Amino acid sequence: MNIRRILTLSLLLCCCVVSFAQKFANLALTPQMGWNSWNKFGCDINEEKIKGIADAFVKLGLKEMGYQYIILDDGWMGMHRDDQGNFVANPDKFPHGMKALADYIHSKGLKFGLYSCVGDSTCAGYPGSRGHEYQDALKFAEWGVDYLKFDWCYANMMNAYEAYKTMRDALHAANRPVLFSLCEWGDNQPWKWAKNVGHSWRTTGDINNCFNGSKDRYGVLEVLTNRDQAMLRKVAGPGHWNDMDMLEIGNGGLTHFEEETHFALWAILASPLILGNDLRNISPSTLDIIKNTDVIAVNQDKLGIQGFRYKIVQGSVEIWIRPLVNDEWAVCFFNNSDQTVDLKYNWLGETIKDPDFNYAVTFTKNKIYKLRDLYTHKTIGTISRILSFKLAKNQSLMLKLYN
Ligand code: GLA
């Protein structure tokens, strides 16, 4: 082979590697959206249930809203690997195996995700991926897996960066683009090292089906307060997101207003929107919330800037802000209290400056922003008038400011 030919071939090879890495990197330019089995079903999953969820997913029109992944969490695998050390689907729960299920999900135009774990064992005691990373990545590719949630149980003093990088390299080597979701609970500050390892990283321990939890049992609020959001937001951006954990909307533990607020804050914080309820049995009010195109648009905003808590007014009303494309702003007033508050807010004279990124807005009579109520989808006036709104316990008002 002459030198020219060798050079051309090397160049081609380089281009392939670069474009594959690019494909991988482009999988989460906005936060991922989908459904995961854990919050509602734990390990109690099976083929029939998941197919039913996929059917409901499509029937409810979630695909059109941007949701695309169906992810099986812990408990999909058999208690043991096969003789060659391969993962096997739990034969009682998934008698036709994972490939058949992936095919079914793909046939609906959806994507398929699985869960595994850094350690020898998953949190629920099934086999984990330790020492089998490359083998598992190949198996996942063979089955048609598009998303991997990778947990941190039984990691036994492993170096988190190395452990997750090994799995990332294995996924790359298997040559199928897989969205890689790190579930390390923030123990080793993944926001400092995970940007080039995975597409998202969990920031806290598990969310529970409640709004106000406790120190040992996180509800929606503890997920927000357990970590310094001001610090976290600096590292989020297209391709790599802080994951505030899966949604508890529709699981019965939150009021209507709390479900609305949960969704709104996850949108402001650019967190992945992974539903965790039984889609086969969903109330109209929950469906309304998860199909709110205006709030979803905030979550999926192309600028990719995670929002921030701007200030607290009237004792308990938190104002959360997110700069959006085209000089638009999402503003969420959240009444973090048990008492109803008669909110009065004067925009004029206010300058909001993003503390970390180069965005600022000044409200004056010379530049009037309109206010769109993202829950009613109506324009409710402009910043020239004092905003007046009654906010009940844990209720929020989510607005978009636009020209
Ligand atoms: C951990 C994760 C959860 C879930 C369970 C499964 O607790 O943080 O999201 O995946 O494991 O066992």
Side-chain angles (χ1 to χ4, degrees):
M1 218 186 304
N2 68 27
I3 191 83
R4 241 180 118 146
R5 212 137 160 229
I6 293 175
L7 280 175
T8 316
L9 279 176
S10 319
L11 195 69
L12 268 176
L13 192 66
C14 271
C15 288
C16 283
V17 171
V18 169
S19 81
F20 181 73
Q22 199 57 42
K23 237 189 214 165
F24 209 88
N26 286 349
L27 286 175
L29 292 179
T30 59
Q32 64 265 31
M33 296 171 64
W35 178 91
N36 174 299
S37 54
W38 184 254
N39 280 0
K40 177 69 188 174
F41 299 116
C43 291
D44 186 15
I45 47 178
N46 60 52
E47 197 170 288
E48 203 196 334
K49 210 177 247 178
I50 301 302
K51 281 179 156 183
I53 293 285
D55 295 345
F57 195 108
V58 173
K59 206 163 135 217
L60 294 171
L62 296 179
K63 215 169 92 178
E64 287 72 26
M65 302 289 115
Y67 296 95
Q68 53 174 340
Y69 294 98
I70 298 230
I71 305 147
L72 303 190
D73 208 285
D74 209 346
W76 62 265
M77 55 291 264
M79 282 319 289
H80 305 285
R81 290 172 176 272
D82 71 10
D83 293 346
Q84 277 81 48
N86 290 310
F87 252 144
V88 283
N90 188 305
D92 300 325
K93 298 177 185 174
F94 298 96
H96 297 95
M98 279 304 143
K99 172 87 173 75
L101 185 60
D103 286 350
Y104 186 81
I105 288 172
H106 288 147
S107 77
K108 305 243 145 200
L110 303 174
K111 291 185 170 168
F112 178 56
L114 281 181
Y115 160 105
S116 186
C117 188
V118 160
D120 291 327
S121 167
T122 71
C123 299
Y126 293 88
S129 284
R130 185 168 188 173
H132 292 271
E133 292 86 353
Y134 280 76
Q135 184 176 21
D136 289 352
L138 282 175
K139 190 46 88 186
F140 295 152
E142 183 189 315
W143 285 342
V145 169
D146 308 296
Y147 186 115
L148 177 65
K149 170 175 169 181
F150 207 44
D151 212 345
W152 185 236
C153 273
Y154 304 104
N156 297 335
M157 310 299 287
M158 279 166 92
N159 174 296
Y161 170 70
E162 293 297 336
Y164 281 97
K165 195 160 77 64
T166 303
M167 192 69 223
R168 178 208 63 187
D169 291 346
L171 292 171
H172 281 206
N175 215 22
R176 179 180 172 89
V178 171
L179 192 150
F180 191 30
S181 150
L182 278 51
C183 178
E184 182 270 0
W185 323 312
D187 282 9
N188 295 275
Q189 305 184 300
W191 42 89
K192 290 192 174 158
W193 49 260
K195 183 174 163 185
N196 297 316
V197 178
H199 300 93
S200 63
W201 50 84
R202 279 272 299 279
T203 58
T204 66
D206 294 359
I207 195 169
N208 290 276
N209 185 14
C210 55
F211 197 74
N212 300 70
S214 63
K215 199 165 93 13
D216 307 315
R217 187 172 184 269
Y218 295 166
V220 169
L221 280 190
E222 288 72 24
V223 171
L224 297 181
T225 51
N226 185 264
R227 301 282 180 212
D228 177 4
Q229 294 296 334
M231 175 261 300
L232 288 183
R233 73 182 296 258
K234 296 188 179 112
V235 288
H240 44 276
W241 308 102
N242 289 301
D243 177 357
M244 311 295 166
D245 206 357
M246 302 166 292
L247 298 160
E248 287 288 7
I249 297 170
N251 284 336
L254 311 184
T255 65
H256 171 74
F257 287 149
E258 290 168 349
E259 291 199 337
E260 241 173 20
T261 301
H262 183 14
F263 202 60
L265 291 175
W266 264 232
I268 288 266
L269 291 170
S271 174
L273 294 179
I274 306 293
L275 305 167
N277 60 318
D278 188 349
L279 298 177
R280 300 164 308 171
N281 181 11
I282 187 168
S283 73
S285 109
T286 291
L287 190 59
D288 243 28
I289 292 171
I290 65 171
K291 283 185 76 176
N292 186 325
T293 44
D294 275 325
V295 178
I296 291 173
V298 170
N299 177 266
Q300 297 288 299
D301 185 74
K302 296 277 184 299
L303 213 52
I305 304 272
Q306 179 173 330
F308 59 99
R309 195 173 70 170
Y310 170 50
K311 63 179 177 185
I312 300 178
V313 294
Q314 292 180 244
S316 65
V317 180
E318 302 186 2
I319 308 183
W320 289 78
I321 306 254
R322 180 172 174 183
L324 306 173
V325 282
N326 303 327
D327 187 31
E328 298 184 341
W329 294 77
V331 181
C332 180
F333 294 88
F334 156 46
N335 178 22
N336 186 0
S337 95
D338 289 352
Q339 311 299 320
T340 298
V341 173
D342 210 348
L343 173 71
K344 301 273 181 246
Y345 190 70
N346 186 4
W347 306 90
L348 290 179
E350 183 106 37
T351 293
I352 299 173
K353 201 176 153 359
D354 187 312
D356 305 299
F357 300 94
N358 196 17
Y359 296 98
V361 58
T362 300
F363 298 118
T364 66
K365 288 217 160 92
N366 300 330
K367 191 170 182 199
I368 296 297
Y369 284 83
K370 296 188 196 83
L371 308 177
R372 180 174 171 85
D373 180 334
L374 301 191
Y375 297 154
T376 61
H377 314 291
K378 293 206 169 80
T379 300
I380 58 162
T382 72
I383 53 137
S384 63
R385 279 218 324 262
I386 289 182
L387 176 74
S388 178
F389 200 87
K390 238 188 206 21
L391 285 173
K393 170 184 176 180
N394 296 336
Q395 189 182 359
S396 53
L397 170 68
M398 177 82 150
L399 302 176
K400 185 175 82 174
L401 274 54
Y402 66 104
N403 288 294

